[in-house]
């Protein structure tokens, strides 16, 4: 009798819990919708170079004026792989990914000569090995290439250079230029609504709003600045990706990998010089460290990776951007980077081209 009574009480308790949970579902749904549409609004900005580029901000978009991000439509010659395959001469070649094309346009404008862009698929863990293999190809010498520039963003630089990668994944340069890539190199479809799934979860939205690190649940972070550095209503807010402060950081643990990366860098530099090519390395700074001096209560330690590169890699072609970019910000320059995206604006690419020019990268004789 006691067992039956206990079982009945247990079922009644579970029934109440189920009813409570079901009654909360509408409130949770409303809460999630408010979070999504009001606090993490998706920003589409076709005027900044790509209608598919999106970002997240705590607040609503009411930009006071167009960002200084408009890229030139004419006046430069940027050669993508297919164009390079047909070109008689390509004075400058930039190996890059998402930053490289904008840098190539800026260099083309400043130097008034064609600049070729070759995308490197670093994610396949053979980027450095592939570049070395391409440098051994006679294509560069026969097409009048005088300058080689490698671009790799700060948070990815150490991973990209500390390991040469799997050379069995390398493909001939001619195959890259003609677009005849094997299946492993096929690009994934571009996401037009890529939020990594994080903001579709109620608890992640909640975490994003009330914690700068979002309790390690998302890849984005919003911090407040003590100075307006973006020409918009949220000009004192900065969004960057969590990977900015976890990958490629210079500390005691990273020292062996830094030494290995610098060795590989020297090998590439020497290989270029042996072929009569000028070589330069450009590392776009992470926003999390570039804007560090203006972040109110930074919750993460500072990384001296770029200072280390400047001290140890300059003889091998490294061109520092941290100091000149920081100087521009100190002078009050706005919109050096996008406030809601990983990438720099076109003006930043122009400043990078100026630094390359000062270093002797161009124009070629």
């Amino acid at each position: 009798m006691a067992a039956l009574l206990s079982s009945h009480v247990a079922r009644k308790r579970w029934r109440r819990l189920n009813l409570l949970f079901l009654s909360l579902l509408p409130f949770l749904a409303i809460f999630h919708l408010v979070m999504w549409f009001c606090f993490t609004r998706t920003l589409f900005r076709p005027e900044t170079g790509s209608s598919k580029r999106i970002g997240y901000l705590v607040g609503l978009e009411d930009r006071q004026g167009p960002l200084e991000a408009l890229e030139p439509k004419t006046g430069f010659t940027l050669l993508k792989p297919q164009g390079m395959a047909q070109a008689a001469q390509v004075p400058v070649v930039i190996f890059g990914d998402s930053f490289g094309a904008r840098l190539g346009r800026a260099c083309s404008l400043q130097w008034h000569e064609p600049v070729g862009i070759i995308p490197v698929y670093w994610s396949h863990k053979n980027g450095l090995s592939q570049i070395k293999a391409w440098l051994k190809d006679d294509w560069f010498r026969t097409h009048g290439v005088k300058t080689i520039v490698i671009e790799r963003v700060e948070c990815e630089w150490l991973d990209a250079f500390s390991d040469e990668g799997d050379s069995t994944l390398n493909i001939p340069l001619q195959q890259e230029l003609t677009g005849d890539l094997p299946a492993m190199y096929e690009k994934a479809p571009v996401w037009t609504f890529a939020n990594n799934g994080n903001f579709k979860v109620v608890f992640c939205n909640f975490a994003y709003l009330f914690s700068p690190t979002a309790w390690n649940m998302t890849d984005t972070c919003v911090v407040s600045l003590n100075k307006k550095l973006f020409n918009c209503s949220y000009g004192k807010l900065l969004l960057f990706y969590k990977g900015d402060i976890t990958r490629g950081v210079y500390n005691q643990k990273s020292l062996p990998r830094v030494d290995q990366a610098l060795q590989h860098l020297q090998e590439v530099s020497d290989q270029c010089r042996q072929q009569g090519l000028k070589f330069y390395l450009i590392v776009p700074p992470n926003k999390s460290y570039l804007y560090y001096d203006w972040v109110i209560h930074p919750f993460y330690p500072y990384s001296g990776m770029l200072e280390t590169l400047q001290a140890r890699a300059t003889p091998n072609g490294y061109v520092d951007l941290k100091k000149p970019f920081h100087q521009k910000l100190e002078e009050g320059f706005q919109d050096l980077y996008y406030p809601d995206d990983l990438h720099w604006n076109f003006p930043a690419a122009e400043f990078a081209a100026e630094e390359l020019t000062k270093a002797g990268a161009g124009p070629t004789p």
Side-chain angles (χ1 to χ4, degrees):
M1 186 67 180
L4 289 173
L5 183 60
S6 176
S7 176
H8 177 73
V9 172
R11 286 198 301 270
K12 194 172 182 180
R13 182 182 297 117
W14 278 111
R15 189 180 299 113
R16 288 175 179 172
L17 289 174
N18 287 334
L19 289 173
L20 177 62
F21 176 75
L22 291 174
S23 66
L24 287 175
L25 284 180
F27 296 101
L28 290 174
I30 293 173
F31 175 78
H32 176 66
L33 289 174
V34 170
M35 291 289 187
W36 176 251
F37 290 108
C38 294
F39 293 98
T40 54
R41 184 180 178 186
T42 306
L43 308 178
F44 291 87
R45 290 191 177 167
E47 77 279 4
T48 56
S50 173
S51 60
K52 295 179 179 179
R53 191 182 64 79
I54 66 174
Y56 306 100
L57 280 177
V58 178
L60 298 178
E61 162 73 352
D62 58 344
R63 187 170 56 258
Q64 294 176 349
L67 294 177
E68 294 185 39
L70 293 175
E71 299 184 18
K73 303 300 181 184
T74 60
F76 64 90
T77 304
L78 184 67
L79 299 174
K80 298 288 181 71
Q82 289 79 359
M84 290 178 62
Q86 301 169 359
Q89 283 197 332
V90 186
V92 181
V93 172
I94 296 178
F95 295 116
D97 47 17
S98 55
F99 285 81
R102 192 166 282 122
L103 177 63
R105 291 185 181 95
C107 290
S108 300
L109 281 172
Q110 181 148 355
W111 301 340
H112 305 290
E113 58 186 357
V115 172
I117 295 290
I118 302 182
V120 180
Y121 303 100
W122 301 98
S123 60
H124 295 142
K125 306 300 182 186
N126 72 316
L128 199 59
S129 173
Q130 180 68 90
I131 289 176
K132 287 184 176 182
W134 284 342
L135 285 173
K136 293 178 182 178
D137 197 313
D138 283 337
W139 193 93
F140 294 105
R141 288 187 290 269
T142 58
H143 286 75
V145 176
K146 301 296 183 183
T147 302
I148 293 290
V149 179
I150 293 181
E151 168 269 312
R152 195 65 176 136
V153 67
E154 182 182 354
C155 64
E156 302 284 0
W157 178 84
L158 189 57
D159 287 339
F161 276 80
S162 61
D163 184 6
E164 282 189 277
D166 184 1
S167 61
T168 61
L169 295 174
N170 293 348
I171 61 172
L173 178 61
Q174 199 59 38
Q175 214 174 333
E176 165 73 20
L177 297 181
T178 57
D180 182 21
L181 304 180
M184 71 183 74
Y185 279 81
E186 289 181 359
K187 293 184 178 180
V190 177
W191 284 13
T192 58
F193 203 63
N195 62 1
N196 299 324
N198 292 322
F199 295 95
K200 293 180 180 178
V201 180
V202 172
F203 299 106
C204 290
N205 275 330
F206 185 84
Y208 175 69
L209 284 176
F210 297 103
S211 171
T213 56
W215 300 330
N216 295 322
M217 298 174 102
T218 74
D219 290 333
T220 56
C221 176
V222 174
V223 296
S224 297
L225 303 173
N226 58 23
K227 179 180 180 180
K228 185 173 182 178
L229 293 170
F230 299 98
N231 181 32
C232 52
S233 60
Y234 45 84
K236 288 188 176 182
L237 288 179
L238 174 68
L239 178 143
F240 57 80
Y241 293 80
K242 187 181 64 177
D244 285 6
I245 58 174
T246 58
R247 294 177 295 171
V249 176
Y250 183 81
N251 51 37
Q252 291 297 320
K253 292 182 179 179
S254 67
L255 281 177
R257 294 175 63 228
V258 170
D259 292 337
Q260 187 66 34
L262 291 172
Q263 179 181 335
H264 288 151
L265 174 62
Q266 182 175 356
E267 291 172 3
V268 174
S269 178
D270 291 343
Q271 192 172 339
C272 286
R273 291 192 176 96
Q274 289 169 8
Q275 297 183 33
L277 303 174
K278 293 190 289 184
F279 170 77
Y280 299 93
L281 170 67
I282 282 285
V283 181
N286 292 347
K287 290 195 302 185
S288 53
Y289 299 117
L290 179 60
Y291 289 84
Y292 192 89
D293 290 346
W294 294 279
V295 174
I296 298 175
H297 305 305
F299 60 90
Y300 53 95
Y302 181 81
S303 171
M305 178 60 75
L306 296 188
E307 285 80 358
T308 301
L309 280 173
Q310 184 180 15
R312 300 181 59 183
T314 299
N316 295 321
Y318 172 70
V319 177
D320 179 60
L321 298 180
K322 181 72 171 291
K323 187 175 180 179
F325 277 19
H326 194 275
Q327 181 65 35
K328 292 290 183 183
L329 294 174
E330 284 185 331
E331 294 170 356
F333 188 91
Q334 293 185 344
D335 303 328
L336 188 66
Y337 278 60
Y338 293 105
D340 58 346
D341 190 279
L342 173 69
H343 300 92
W344 60 23
N345 282 335
F346 187 74
E350 289 184 305
F351 296 146
E354 289 177 7
E355 296 303 316
L356 278 169
T357 303
K358 294 176 185 177
T364 55

